[in-house]
């Protein structure tokens, strides 16, 4: 789902490989990770966290409030996509400096590619598809569908809950017992020292320093009763957790995050009742004109006011 005219906005975006094929090996994941940071810098999109799996990826991104970009910023962002020695960078610099018809056309085209979730996802998927097809001697569609997105309320609890769901993907897939040990997720990259990834995790706690932000986020990742087995703390197996849910029992949020909770990928808006209802009233024709109210409460745990 894409909300137009709401700035800033935060989205959980998901895209899958065609046919569910496991095309993304470590080399491909690393390439996609590098492209993610370059294209997000160009588009002015803030990556809060991400996770790249073998047949799909998740992103939690923030689209900031729209503003005109200066020529200096345009040139800097353009250089994120191309090496500074690339002839296109010098051509753009000359055109912007001259400020003639060519420079104004460049400015319009580049500005139109910034600050939009759809264009950002299109740029990312297209650029990766080109690299992948060339590298593997294939042609045709790589991605199964247009990306899916869920609008997320910008409260710490909502953000950290969805971020933890994303970073715990490799744990649910039994690739590791702690997401810090997975190279291709925001939390793992942040713990590994990446300043860009750390900034995203810090934004989940609204500007806290890295140590404070990490400790706060760890509470969402590893709450009571859901720590990894090797930590020596109590651990609830995801299959057992699913059985509890089927019996209408309640679990802590961290335990629920280790289950495949459909709300994080199949919904349209995630947040408090008031936030969902506000979006529902504003965009009723997109969210379902037949419904009398927007919020549908998540079952199975205490989501802190989230539906």
């Amino acid at each position: 789902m894409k909300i137009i005219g709401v700035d800033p906005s935060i989205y959980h975006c998901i895209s899958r490989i065609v046919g569910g094929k496991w095309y993304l090996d470590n080399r491909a994941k690393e390439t996609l990770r590098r492209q993610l940071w370059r294209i997000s810098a160009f588009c002015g999109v803030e990556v809060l966290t991400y996770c790249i799996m073998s047949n799909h990826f998740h992103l939690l991104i923030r689209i900031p409030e729209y503003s005109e970009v200066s020529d200096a910023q345009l040139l800097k962002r353009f250089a994120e996509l191309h090496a500074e020695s690339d002839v296109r960078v010098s051509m753009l610099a000359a055109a912007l400096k001259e400020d003639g018809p060519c420079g104004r056309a460049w400015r319009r085209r580049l500005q139109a590619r910034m600050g939009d979730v759809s264009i950002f996802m299109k740029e990312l998927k297209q650029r990766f598809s080109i690299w992948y097809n060339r590298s593997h001697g294939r042609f045709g569609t790589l991605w199964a569908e247009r990306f899916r997105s869920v609008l997320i309320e910008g409260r710490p609890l909502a953000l950290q809950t969805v971020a933890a769901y994303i970073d715990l993907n490799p744990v649910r897939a039994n690739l590791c017992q702690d997401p810090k040990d997975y190279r291709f997720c925001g939390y793992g990259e942040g713990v590994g020292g990446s300043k860009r990834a750390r900034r995203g995790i810090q934004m989940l706690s609204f500007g806290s320093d890295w140590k404070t932000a990490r400790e706060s986020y760890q509470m969402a990742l590893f709450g009571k009763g859901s720590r990894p087995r090797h930590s020596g703390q109590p651990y609830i197996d995801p299959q057992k957790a699913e059985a509890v849910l089927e019996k209408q029992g309640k679990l802590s949020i961290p335990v629920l995050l280790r289950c495949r909770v459909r709300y994080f990928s199949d919904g349209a808006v995630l947040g408090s009742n008031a936030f969902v209802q506000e979006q529902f009233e504003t965009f009723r024709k997109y969210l379902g004109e037949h419904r009398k109210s927007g919020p549908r409460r998540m079952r199975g745990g205490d989501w802190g006011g989230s539906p």
Side-chain angles (χ1 to χ4, degrees):
M1 176 182 180
K2 173 184 172 183
I3 297 294
I4 300 173
V6 178
D7 294 319
S9 52
I10 299 172
Y11 295 93
H12 171 204
C13 299
I14 313 102
S15 195
R16 304 181 188 280
I17 296 293
V18 63
K21 301 294 186 181
W22 287 31
Y23 285 166
L24 305 181
D25 57 14
N26 283 351
R27 180 185 175 218
K29 290 175 184 177
E30 176 63 18
T31 299
L32 182 56
R33 184 192 68 82
R34 291 175 181 270
Q35 290 184 348
L36 167 63
W37 289 118
R38 287 201 299 268
I39 296 170
S40 64
F42 168 73
C43 291
V45 170
E46 297 166 343
V47 179
L48 305 187
T49 196
Y50 70 92
C51 187
I52 303 172
M53 302 295 285
S54 296
N55 61 0
H56 70 285
F57 68 83
H58 295 259
L59 304 176
L60 183 61
I61 57 175
R62 180 180 182 271
I63 309 298
E65 185 174 355
Y66 177 82
S67 62
E68 292 288 335
V69 179
S70 67
D71 285 356
Q73 277 295 315
L74 277 178
L75 192 59
K76 181 179 179 180
R77 291 188 183 187
F78 190 71
E80 290 283 349
L81 293 180
H82 312 282
E84 291 192 7
S85 58
D86 192 301
V87 65
R88 286 169 291 188
V89 176
S90 57
M91 288 175 60
L92 174 62
L96 293 176
K97 184 177 181 179
E98 184 179 345
D99 198 27
C102 182
R104 290 191 289 271
W106 269 99
R107 193 178 292 116
R108 285 194 302 271
R109 288 197 299 268
L110 293 177
Q111 184 77 46
R113 293 164 62 188
M114 299 178 181
D116 185 291
V117 62
S118 296
I119 292 176
F120 164 72
M121 290 295 289
K122 179 181 178 182
E123 293 262 0
L124 178 61
K125 293 171 66 175
Q126 280 188 346
R127 284 177 176 268
F128 181 77
S129 295
I130 292 171
W131 171 86
Y132 189 90
N133 284 350
R134 285 177 177 173
S135 299
H136 293 78
R138 73 180 298 275
F139 58 89
T141 301
L142 179 65
W143 302 103
E145 59 205 4
R146 185 185 183 273
F147 75 95
R148 302 171 69 180
S149 63
V150 179
L151 180 68
I152 309 298
E153 184 176 14
R155 296 185 305 136
L157 177 61
L159 291 179
Q160 290 187 2
T161 299
V162 177
Y165 169 81
I166 291 171
D167 279 314
L168 285 168
N169 262 259
V171 177
R172 290 194 300 274
N174 293 319
L175 298 178
C176 61
Q177 293 184 324
D178 188 324
K180 73 176 177 58
D181 299 321
Y182 189 69
R183 290 175 53 194
F184 309 107
C185 71
Y187 181 69
E189 185 173 347
V191 173
S194 168
K195 292 182 179 180
R196 293 178 298 190
R198 287 186 174 188
R199 279 197 297 268
I201 300 298
Q202 287 174 237
M203 289 180 67
L204 300 175
S205 300
F206 288 74
S208 300
D209 59 85
W210 168 243
K211 182 177 182 296
T212 303
R214 181 185 177 187
E215 290 174 352
S216 174
Y217 189 40
Q218 281 179 324
M219 292 301 295
L221 289 168
F222 303 118
K224 182 180 179 181
S226 64
R227 294 181 182 274
R229 293 181 179 87
H230 65 77
S231 69
Q233 298 294 325
Y235 177 84
I236 296 177
D237 184 86
Q239 292 183 346
K240 294 181 179 179
E242 292 281 9
V244 173
L245 289 175
E246 289 178 1
K247 295 179 179 179
Q248 305 302 310
K250 289 189 176 182
L251 297 169
S252 67
I253 288 179
V255 174
L256 285 167
L257 291 174
R258 279 176 160 71
C259 305
R260 298 188 178 277
V261 185
R262 65 178 176 83
Y263 300 96
F264 294 99
S265 58
D266 290 350
V269 182
L270 181 70
S272 65
N273 285 311
F275 178 76
V276 176
Q277 184 62 28
E278 178 184 0
Q279 304 306 321
F280 174 77
E281 293 294 342
T282 305
F283 302 98
R284 180 183 289 268
K285 66 179 181 179
Y286 301 109
L287 299 176
E289 294 181 329
H290 63 286
R291 288 170 60 168
K292 295 182 180 180
S293 64
R296 296 291 186 271
R297 187 168 182 81
M298 293 183 180
R299 293 176 295 177
D302 181 6
W303 297 91
S306 295

